[in-house]
Amino acid sequence: MLIREQSLPATYTLLAGAYGALGCTLGSALAYWVGMWKGRPFLERYGRYLLISHHDLDAADRWFNKYGSLSIFSSRLLPVIRTFISLPAGIARMPFVKFLIYTFLGSFPWCLGLAYGGYILGEHWEQIRSVMRLSTPSS
């Protein structure tokens, strides 16, 4: 459902942002659990091939204990990094409820921005699409 096409006010982008943040949080929880259950043993066994030592894992644990909340919140606002931060949070065994709260709070502005951008730019989608096609490489 596109908010503008349904003639809904822009305030509905808040709801869209909240649903988006909820989806991000659920997906991130899965990645957190993978990191918590399998991540550390995998890295302790094969980390040397990825240039990750036991010392690096211990340093990451200390760093997450000190800056974990801030790193989870702020990384949700950064493309690419936002996708991968859940795994190290699980490996470092950041408290799960705290992880969920900061993941939701950090994801909400991102999702709200995307929803609002879609609301504003949605009526110009065909124009944007034609410009984007010009910038794709030819095969």
Side-chain angles (χ1 to χ4, degrees):
M1 171 178 96
L2 296 175
I3 296 168
R4 183 167 275 205
E5 283 185 5
Q6 298 295 324
S7 300
L8 299 171
T11 54
Y12 273 74
T13 58
L14 291 170
L15 187 59
Y19 280 125
L22 180 62
C24 289
T25 302
L26 292 175
S28 296
L30 179 65
Y32 174 95
W33 286 108
V34 168
M36 187 172 139
W37 286 334
K38 302 289 182 186
R40 187 160 192 113
F42 177 83
L43 288 175
E44 285 175 346
R45 185 168 182 180
Y46 300 108
R48 66 180 173 269
Y49 301 112
L50 302 171
L51 304 178
I52 299 172
S53 68
H54 289 281
H55 173 73
D56 295 332
L57 292 172
D58 293 338
D61 285 340
R62 286 190 304 274
W63 190 85
F64 254 100
N65 286 333
K66 189 172 183 180
Y67 302 111
S69 302
L70 178 63
S71 68
I72 293 299
F73 177 80
S74 60
S75 69
R76 296 295 170 194
L77 302 170
L78 302 171
V80 181
I81 294 172
R82 69 185 320 274
T83 304
F84 299 106
I85 193 66
S86 303
L87 201 60
I91 292 170
R93 297 185 183 268
M94 180 181 183
F96 186 61
V97 172
K98 194 177 197 182
F99 169 79
L100 291 177
I101 291 168
Y102 282 99
T103 294
F104 183 86
L105 293 176
S107 296
F108 181 70
W110 177 268
C111 294
L112 179 62
L114 291 175
Y116 188 69
Y119 181 82
I120 297 299
L121 299 173
E123 67 186 42
H124 304 291
W125 176 245
E126 288 301 321
Q127 293 168 329
I128 295 168
R129 185 175 163 190
S130 68
V131 172
M132 295 300 285
R133 285 189 180 207
L134 293 176
S135 65
T136 57
S138 303
S139 28

